[in-house]
Amino acid sequence: MLDKTFTPSEVESRIYESWESAGVFRAGRPERIQAKPYTIVIPPPNVTGSLHMGHALNNTLQDVLIRFERMRGRDTLWQPGMDHAGIATQMVVERQLEQSGAHRRDLGREEFVRRIWSWKEQSGGMIINQLKRLGASCDWSRERFTMDEGLSDAVLKVFVELFRAGLIYKDKRLVNWDPKFLTAISDLEVQPVETKGHLWHLRYPVKNGGGRYVVVATTRPETMLGDTAVAVHPEDERYKDLIGKHVVLPLVGREIPIVADEHADPETGSGAVKITPAHDFNDFEVGKRHDLPMINVLDAHARINENAPDKYVGMDRYEARALIVEDLEALELVDKIEDHVHMVPYGDRSNVVIEPWLTDQWYVDAATLAKPAIEAVERGETVFVPRNWEKTYFEWMRNIQPWCISRQLWWGHQIPAWYAPDGEVFVAESEEAALAQAREKYGEDVALERDPDVLDTWFSSALWPFSTLGWPDETPELKRYYKTDVLVTGFDIIFFWVARMMMMGLHFMNEVPFHTVYIHALVRDAKGQKMSKSKGNVIDPLDLVSKYGADALRFTLSAMAAQGRDIKLSEQRVEGYRNFATKLWNAARFCEMNGCIRVEGFDPAGVEDTLNRWIVGETETAARAVTEAIDAYKFNEAAGAAYRFVWNVFCDWFLELAKPVLSGEDGPAKDETRATTAWVLDQILKILHPFMPYVTEELWTRLGEQGPARDEVVALSAWPNLSGLVDAKAKADVDWLIDLVTAVRSVRSEMNVPAGARLPLVLVGSGAEVADRAGRYDEPLKRLARLEAVSLADTAPAGSVQTVVGEATVALPIADVVDLGAERERLQREVKKLSDEIGKIDAKLANANFVSRAPEQVVEEQRERRAEAEDARAKLTQALERLAGAA
């Protein structure tokens, strides 16, 4: 007998262990060796990571797909693994060292890297166990790590081959430089922060200009020491006579040209902009267009270097800023200073201001690799869902910049490049091979020094879809499971990861890495705000799992995962879907207590009772709706179809209508209803399993202890592939009954009819079919709609509220139990209240200032509330019209 309640904390770990011990998640199961493969590679979480709500959403959706296809008979591989997460992992171990008063440079590179490996073995990978708590059905026997020996071999081979093809090279360009960690970082690791600062308008004297100045504005006066030009728009009449002339750079004395460039906006500030190619990304491009010198005036620690006047050398950038402004003011070269709010780039881990800094780094020729990746999406070989993300992909790829792949760290894949004493570089997969290259060039052995830098973490993760399958070896797994089927990821890494996997997959495998990229939205808080620690609105998924169970969180995320819409998550929603799991459990207990046991060889197509014919048809309809929605990546529609079928159709209607039979005398009708109920419940457990794996597996196992033995766990059972079960006559009959009961309940609610009052129901002017149904369903009508009697008449009785159900006019005499006048006044007050609210919202939405200044989610909430109020007003207005008819 099932326990009275389902307690997730008591069963989840036991069920997960049973799945793992039985090898349920393993790819290549013997019975599926001929089956079509279905592959997903997990976006590898950082080895330092812990489960946040974005992970919970991303991995829930992947697991829904994997469990669904596993039940459809596919040979599924959900490839798990973790990313070594260069800077994040190095930081963890550096902090540990700092607590003991040491620094990584005290240890040396070899010992420091050994310490990181030791930490990784002991503490890394916590997130893997958290994913298991969520129910993720990865093939953990195949877990990989981006620093594994095999994956490291793949990285070396890719680097060497791209270098030999001229697609990897070394260059001096601007990078995002972190002056605390002393390394280049990616754009994804830069956090723009809105900052209150100043805009300094500086006067640059025109050479031989008779006292004429060009005024430029800057938020960073210290970088002026590296200015190499002033730019004006070529069509700006104010400066046309100055183009080609020079200004004298204050404090430095260097003469720099005035160049014509469309980067200068005549509508902004003075229309003239200072150009500092070594310290601004836009200026770097202007500098290249005009062949300007690139003067770096900061060192790696963001201190003024020897390229600046001696007075400022060695000063911190902000210390230098204050002195430079003071010196300019003394020379009367500060035109004005304005308060200015602007976005300042911070390192997301170092929390210091990032500098655009000119330095030697390794680059990938991304523009060349991008061309086939663009064409593959244009041809439809890879499709984005929703499709609008293809536009984002194309915009990034068609304007792609060289990809900086070197990082000044010790943890990561060390770049396979060795330098001879004369600076010649030798790139090879091993030091022995590099020494051999050098010997061939010089005719003798020479000492080589390896490049100390490591590769950007995204370089190794770009190979993930094929390196995890054994490439560069020609493994059976690579042949069977590449290309993968779908990538599930967030929009923020379309460029950083998705695009780079596309480039690498096409270059090295001659095939796209996946045919579909499903882009999910953000998980926000209940008010639509982005979750952040600073706001204090972060929701920990593990807290929700502990409180409500993994199934409740998974179903919530699935039910809210509408394409293109962010998820507004509240704990109340999770609690609500916990109640759904409870509803399912209670329904199963009801079935068990009423002897609804599976029958060997039960054929749903052979049932005879109308109610049973209806429910097996509804089961087919629900299974088809869930299947089609998952196939289309419409997770919310799939979860919604399953929810409505279980709660509304099966629990609220079928079980209620079946109660008299199940509690009645034994006989063929009762036997058929019991067997039908047990069969439908089995289909429900299958349909819900991808979303709610724990409660469905527990019920499948416990209910399987009765009746014929189960051959498999629900995770390996066959997905419902039903057809031919919809009986039009049975559907019409039962749907009519449901519609009629629903209409009566709605009227009772609208008119405030006392719950205990039993009303007569009159079917007005009904035909033979309605009369026949009224006779056959007299008992359930009276029981479910709280009716005193059901009768037929040509006209409606006085004081009746009327509604229409199908071809029947339904009259409910309520004058004896409801004060019609008082009820009319109540409804009119409610309608006015809603009308006033709609008017206020309309005024807000018509206010251009409100719409432009309010956060987008606030505007959206106003629109949603207006729609809700409009719907409520329409229903109350309809109720008033009914009441008028009764009077």
Side-chain angles (χ1 to χ4, degrees):
M1 179 66 72
L2 289 174
D3 300 333
K4 189 173 182 180
T5 58
F6 174 65
T7 308
S9 59
E10 294 178 4
V11 301
E12 287 178 348
S13 60
R14 167 173 54 79
I15 291 173
Y16 201 92
E17 286 170 11
S18 71
W19 284 329
E20 286 207 277
S21 62
V24 170
F25 307 152
R26 292 208 173 197
R29 291 175 62 87
E31 73 274 13
R32 301 197 179 193
I33 205 67
Q34 301 300 322
K36 186 178 179 182
Y38 182 87
T39 313
I40 296 178
V41 290
I42 199 170
N46 288 353
V47 67
T48 59
S50 61
L51 194 73
H52 58 62
M53 202 56 78
H55 288 132
L57 171 64
N58 180 277
N59 287 282
T60 292
L61 300 184
Q62 290 177 81
D63 198 41
V64 167
L65 292 170
I66 281 288
R67 288 181 182 273
F68 171 65
E69 294 294 353
R70 187 182 288 124
M71 294 175 74
R72 291 216 285 188
R74 302 281 291 273
D75 176 20
T76 56
L77 168 60
W78 186 6
Q79 174 63 55
M82 290 184 295
D83 193 283
H84 63 279
I87 194 168
T89 307
Q90 182 161 319
M91 273 178 54
V92 169
V93 180
E94 284 202 58
R95 285 198 190 110
Q96 291 176 351
L97 285 174
E98 287 171 5
Q99 289 171 2
S100 61
H103 188 276
R104 64 182 167 102
R105 299 195 184 279
D106 300 332
L107 299 180
R109 182 172 193 144
E110 188 175 336
E111 174 59 19
F112 180 71
V113 170
R114 190 195 67 75
R115 292 275 186 104
I116 295 181
W117 275 109
S118 176
W119 173 86
K120 186 261 179 187
E121 296 305 319
Q122 294 173 18
S123 309
M126 173 179 66
I127 193 171
I128 296 298
N129 291 325
Q130 294 173 336
L131 287 171
K132 290 181 178 182
R133 280 195 69 191
L134 191 66
S137 61
C138 299
D139 184 350
W140 299 108
S141 69
R142 297 187 49 82
E143 185 182 336
R144 304 303 300 269
F145 180 54
T146 48
M147 293 279 285
D148 282 351
E149 184 177 343
L151 273 69
S152 296
D153 290 344
V155 168
L156 291 172
K157 183 176 178 64
V158 166
F159 188 97
V160 172
E161 289 194 11
L162 290 178
F163 176 80
R164 290 173 181 166
L167 294 170
I168 282 183
Y169 57 92
K170 205 162 189 184
D171 195 10
K172 187 181 288 290
R173 294 178 60 89
L174 280 193
V175 296
N176 297 308
W177 184 260
D178 190 315
K180 178 178 179 180
F181 293 140
L182 304 182
T183 181
I185 61 174
S186 72
D187 288 343
L188 196 63
E189 295 163 309
V190 177
Q191 186 70 41
V193 176
E194 188 174 85
T195 305
K196 292 180 179 179
H198 296 93
L199 191 63
W200 287 270
H201 295 258
L202 310 178
R203 297 170 177 157
Y204 283 17
V206 177
K207 181 185 178 184
N208 300 324
R212 187 174 177 185
Y213 295 94
V214 173
V215 176
V216 299
T218 180
T219 59
R220 306 174 68 219
E222 66 278 10
T223 65
M224 67 162 290
L225 303 176
D227 285 0
T228 56
V230 169
V232 297
H233 195 277
E235 302 302 321
D236 194 331
E237 293 295 335
R238 293 171 293 178
Y239 301 112
K240 274 196 171 181
D241 64 316
L242 291 180
I243 294 171
K245 295 184 179 181
H246 290 73
V247 294
V248 178
L249 184 62
L251 307 181
V252 179
R254 186 168 62 246
E255 295 178 10
I256 61 176
I258 299 172
V259 300
D261 196 282
E262 292 186 355
H263 169 61
D265 182 359
E267 305 299 320
T268 302
S270 67
V273 291
K274 60 190 281 300
I275 302 300
T276 321
H279 295 286
D280 182 276
F281 288 103
N282 290 320
D283 292 1
F284 180 78
E285 297 301 325
V286 176
K288 286 200 300 180
R289 286 197 288 271
H290 297 276
D291 198 25
L292 299 173
M294 300 193 181
I295 302 174
N296 192 344
V297 296
L298 293 175
D299 67 11
H301 298 273
R303 297 185 295 243
I304 305 298
N305 67 18
E306 66 281 354
N307 293 329
D310 291 344
K311 180 177 184 179
Y312 309 109
V313 172
M315 297 180 74
D316 172 78
R317 53 187 162 171
Y318 297 115
E319 184 185 2
R321 175 183 294 181
L323 183 57
I324 286 167
V325 171
E326 183 181 317
D327 289 346
L328 288 169
E329 286 178 325
L331 295 170
E332 298 184 347
L333 294 177
V334 177
D335 189 66
K336 60 179 176 179
I337 303 173
E338 296 177 313
D339 290 336
H340 182 64
V341 177
H342 61 131
M343 303 305 288
V344 175
Y346 278 77
D348 66 347
R349 293 182 176 88
S350 65
N351 202 33
V352 301
V353 175
I354 298 303
E355 282 292 340
W357 198 53
L358 190 65
T359 178
D360 288 311
Q361 301 284 349
W362 287 93
Y363 289 90
V364 170
D365 179 359
T368 298
L369 290 174
K371 289 175 184 174
I374 292 169
E375 292 167 0
V377 176
E378 288 174 335
R379 289 193 300 266
E381 292 174 25
T382 294
V383 175
F384 282 75
V385 180
R387 292 296 288 262
N388 61 287
W389 288 111
E390 290 179 7
K391 181 181 177 184
T392 303
Y393 173 84
F394 286 137
E395 285 176 355
W396 276 335
M397 295 291 269
R398 288 168 181 156
N399 296 284
I400 200 165
Q401 296 295 308
W403 171 17
C404 177
I405 55 170
S406 46
R407 299 290 183 264
Q408 289 63 56
L409 303 171
W410 285 357
W411 172 245
H413 295 102
Q414 192 170 352
I415 288 174
W418 285 262
Y419 299 96
D422 63 2
E424 183 74 21
V425 63
F426 298 94
V427 171
E429 292 182 35
S430 67
E431 185 174 11
E432 291 74 17
L435 287 166
Q437 290 179 22
R439 190 181 307 115
E440 184 177 345
K441 176 177 175 62
Y442 297 112
E444 60 180 350
D445 288 338
V446 294
L448 299 179
E449 184 174 344
R450 187 167 186 178
D451 193 311
D453 290 354
V454 299
L455 287 164
D456 175 16
T457 303
W458 295 106
F459 189 90
S460 51
S461 57
L463 318 180
W464 191 248
F466 53 93
S467 65
T468 50
L469 297 174
W471 188 92
D473 295 336
E474 295 287 337
T475 63
E477 291 86 355
L478 187 66
K479 184 177 180 181
R480 180 161 177 77
Y481 298 109
Y482 189 92
K483 62 184 175 183
T484 71
D485 286 82
V486 59
L487 178 78
V488 178
T489 189
F491 65 85
D492 53 336
I493 55 173
I494 290 176
F495 174 67
F496 292 97
W497 192 43
V498 179
R500 289 163 180 174
M501 284 190 288
M502 289 287 288
M503 290 189 267
M504 294 299 192
L506 284 161
H507 189 82
F508 289 97
M509 297 296 295
N510 298 310
E511 189 176 10
V512 294
F514 21 71
H515 63 65
T516 300
V517 179
Y518 174 81
I519 303 293
H520 62 73
L522 289 174
V523 185
R524 298 180 178 271
D525 70 10
K527 296 179 180 178
Q529 299 282 337
K530 190 172 181 178
M531 292 187 197
S532 71
K533 291 179 181 177
S534 61
K535 292 178 182 174
N537 65 343
V538 173
I539 304 173
D540 187 336
L542 294 171
D543 287 347
L544 296 179
V545 169
S546 297
K547 194 169 183 180
Y548 302 109
D551 291 329
L553 176 60
R554 288 169 60 108
F555 201 90
T556 304
L557 293 170
S558 301
M560 300 183 76
Q563 290 181 13
R565 289 189 62 181
D566 287 346
I567 291 173
K568 295 180 183 178
L569 184 68
S570 68
E571 186 170 335
Q572 289 73 24
R573 292 295 293 265
V574 183
E575 184 180 14
Y577 287 121
R578 187 275 312 275
N579 296 342
F580 175 52
T582 301
K583 181 87 168 180
L584 173 66
W585 186 266
N586 290 340
R589 286 189 78 240
F590 172 84
C591 296
E592 183 184 48
M593 288 187 292
N594 281 277
C596 301
I597 298 170
R598 292 171 301 112
V599 173
E600 187 80 52
F602 174 79
D603 179 11
V607 296
E608 296 179 356
D609 179 80
T610 298
L611 182 62
N612 295 334
R613 282 186 286 127
W614 171 75
I615 193 60
V616 298
E618 292 297 299
T619 306
E620 176 189 325
T621 300
R624 183 180 296 114
V626 174
T627 302
E628 290 174 354
I630 297 178
D631 273 335
Y633 304 101
K634 295 180 178 178
F635 298 96
N636 62 314
E637 293 183 12
Y643 180 93
R644 287 189 297 275
F645 175 65
V646 175
W647 192 298
N648 303 121
V649 177
F650 182 69
C651 295
D652 286 356
W653 292 111
F654 174 73
L655 293 183
E656 285 300 319
L657 291 167
K659 275 180 180 178
V661 178
L662 294 174
S663 61
E665 295 181 3
D666 291 345
K670 187 173 186 177
D671 291 343
E672 181 186 279
T673 300
R674 281 173 162 174
T676 301
T677 304
W679 177 85
V680 173
L681 185 55
D682 263 10
Q683 309 318 303
I684 284 172
L685 298 180
K686 293 179 179 185
I687 289 169
L688 280 178
H689 180 74
F691 307 99
M692 309 179 88
Y694 289 113
V695 67
T696 53
E697 194 69 81
E698 180 72 354
L699 285 172
W700 181 268
T701 302
R702 297 286 295 276
L703 295 175
E705 294 166 0
Q706 305 166 16
R710 300 275 199 204
D711 293 329
E712 71 287 296
V713 294
V714 71
L716 292 174
S717 66
W719 182 258
N721 183 20
L722 309 173
S723 63
L725 300 180
V726 178
D727 183 305
K729 186 177 185 309
K731 180 171 178 57
D733 263 19
V734 180
D735 283 357
W736 175 86
L737 171 61
I738 290 171
D739 290 346
L740 184 52
V741 172
T742 302
V744 173
R745 288 175 173 175
S746 177
V747 168
R748 293 180 67 113
S749 174
E750 288 172 2
M751 302 301 168
N752 270 346
V753 174
R758 291 198 168 267
L759 303 176
L761 180 144
V762 181
L763 298 170
V764 182
S766 304
E769 185 176 48
V770 171
D772 174 59
R773 286 173 175 162
R776 284 189 288 121
Y777 297 113
D778 179 76
E779 185 279 328
L781 269 174
K782 288 191 290 188
R783 176 167 57 91
L784 297 176
R786 293 179 189 161
L787 299 174
E788 181 182 61
V790 178
S791 61
L792 306 175
D794 294 330
T795 58
S800 295
V801 174
Q802 298 178 47
T803 188
V804 176
V805 176
E807 298 176 2
T809 298
V810 179
L812 282 169
I814 64 169
D816 292 340
V817 294
V818 172
D819 183 333
L820 299 183
E823 190 58 26
R824 183 183 303 107
E825 290 178 6
R826 181 187 71 81
L827 290 171
Q828 287 171 340
R829 284 195 304 273
E830 290 294 323
V831 168
K832 184 180 185 306
K833 183 178 176 183
L834 288 167
S835 296
D836 291 344
E837 183 180 1
I838 290 168
K840 290 177 183 176
I841 294 173
D842 284 344
K844 277 186 180 178
L845 295 176
N847 185 328
N849 284 334
F850 170 78
V851 174
S852 64
R853 293 180 180 178
E856 185 179 338
Q857 64 264 21
V858 171
V859 176
E860 184 60 29
E861 284 169 4
Q862 289 292 310
R863 292 192 178 114
E864 289 175 0
R865 177 54 197 150
R866 190 199 186 285
E868 291 169 0
E870 188 72 68
D871 185 51
R873 183 174 67 174
K875 290 178 179 177
L876 291 176
T877 301
Q878 186 180 48
L880 270 171
E881 292 170 356
R882 288 178 180 160
L883 203 58

